[in-house]
Amino acid sequence: MSIASIIRQARSEGRTLLTEAESKAILAEAGIPTTRTVPAATAEEAVRAAEELGFPVVLKVASRDITHKSDVGGVRLDLRTPDQVREAFHAIMAAVRRASPDAAVQGVTVQEMARPGTEVIIGMTRDPQFGPVLMFGLGGILVELLQDVSFRVVPLTPRDADEMIREIKGFPLLEGYRGSEPADLAALRRVLLNLSAFVEAHPEVKELDLNPMIAYRDGALAVDARMVVDEEPRG
């Protein structure tokens, strides 16, 4: 599906918050590397998807009513066998029913398990005065704990992207602090520039978050994505 058709489908269902799978499909069209994601409505569908993707895999609850999946027990990591996938599917369904009984649940998404790396966050909001603004920082829980982020107004130049990456206090982690794997800074720059071009070309996208995006020595990969669009097409 094209970017426009995904957004039209969400609006036709009265939604402005896109699902993770929809958000990743759009990001892939925009040139942002993401983990492969397959929806599954049943435990057996989840097993077939896992076998198609290759073990290990991750299961995440698929619900248009749930934004923070981990908070409701909706994520299971590093599943290595069909039995583990079946058990994880049923455990997720039970946990979500307890934590969020009114949520409409479509099943799960099955995703390839990304290898470890340095987690960063990249986001965008639209400022009433300045328009779209991109944000970069350390990802996962560190962004909430440390608030170590940088901002630039779109459109970004390559120099802007480099400065965003280098001016956060946590930049030594991306260089390979104390023997850790250094990040591919050129790949992070490409992500920032591709996102800048994307949000400039698509004013209907109001917010987006890639958290985490995992930075590696040889690239970067978005493992979770959230996107919010306008209720109506811009005239």
Side-chain angles (χ1 to χ4, degrees):
M1 293 176 70
S2 68
I3 292 173
S5 61
I6 291 172
I7 293 175
R8 278 198 305 271
Q9 177 66 28
R11 284 174 172 155
S12 73
E13 297 172 0
R15 294 186 289 118
T16 58
L17 176 64
L18 303 187
T19 67
E20 181 182 358
E22 290 168 339
S23 298
K24 284 183 174 178
I26 288 176
L27 291 169
E29 287 293 316
I32 310 300
T34 68
T35 49
R36 292 183 296 160
T37 300
V38 179
T42 68
E44 291 309 312
E45 285 184 13
V47 168
R48 287 195 293 272
E51 290 172 339
E52 174 189 333
L53 292 171
F55 293 98
V57 297
V58 175
L59 261 59
K60 298 181 183 179
V61 63
S63 171
R64 293 162 185 149
D65 299 322
I66 297 172
T67 302
H68 300 292
K69 306 174 188 70
S70 295
D71 292 350
V72 297
V75 179
R76 294 293 188 277
L77 305 175
D78 199 23
L79 306 171
R80 296 179 173 271
T81 67
D83 283 345
Q84 287 183 355
V85 170
R86 289 187 189 93
E87 291 169 7
F89 180 94
H90 294 302
I92 287 172
M93 294 299 107
V96 171
R97 279 195 298 270
R98 288 192 300 270
S100 190
D102 296 330
V105 177
Q106 290 77 49
V108 301
T109 58
V110 186
Q111 304 175 27
E112 55 190 339
M113 179 81 181
R115 72 183 194 271
T118 303
E119 294 187 0
V120 301
I121 180 173
I122 300 176
M124 185 279 295
T125 57
R126 290 190 180 270
D127 182 87
Q129 182 175 355
F130 297 108
V133 178
L134 284 186
M135 178 266 288
F136 176 85
L138 295 178
I141 63 170
L142 291 178
V143 67
E144 299 175 5
L145 182 66
L146 302 178
Q147 295 293 303
D148 181 17
V149 295
S150 58
F151 297 91
R152 288 295 186 281
V153 175
V154 170
L156 265 63
T157 65
R159 179 176 177 178
D160 290 330
D162 285 334
E163 289 176 349
M164 286 182 75
I165 295 166
R166 292 177 178 278
E167 72 187 28
I168 63 170
K169 296 182 181 68
F171 178 67
L173 289 174
L174 299 176
E175 289 186 297
Y177 185 69
R178 290 193 172 181
S180 62
E181 181 181 273
D184 185 342
L185 301 183
L188 293 176
R189 183 196 308 120
R190 284 194 299 273
V191 170
L192 286 168
L193 293 174
N194 286 349
L195 277 180
S196 173
F198 166 70
V199 299
E200 191 175 20
H202 293 277
E204 66 272 26
V205 177
K206 293 173 62 177
E207 302 173 25
L208 67 84
D209 286 298
L210 311 182
N211 186 27
M213 168 161 265
I214 303 182
Y216 299 115
R217 181 188 296 273
D218 56 352
L221 188 66
V223 300
D224 206 348
R226 173 182 175 274
M227 192 174 297
V228 178
V229 299
D230 282 332
E231 291 183 8
E232 299 293 340
R234 294 184 174 227

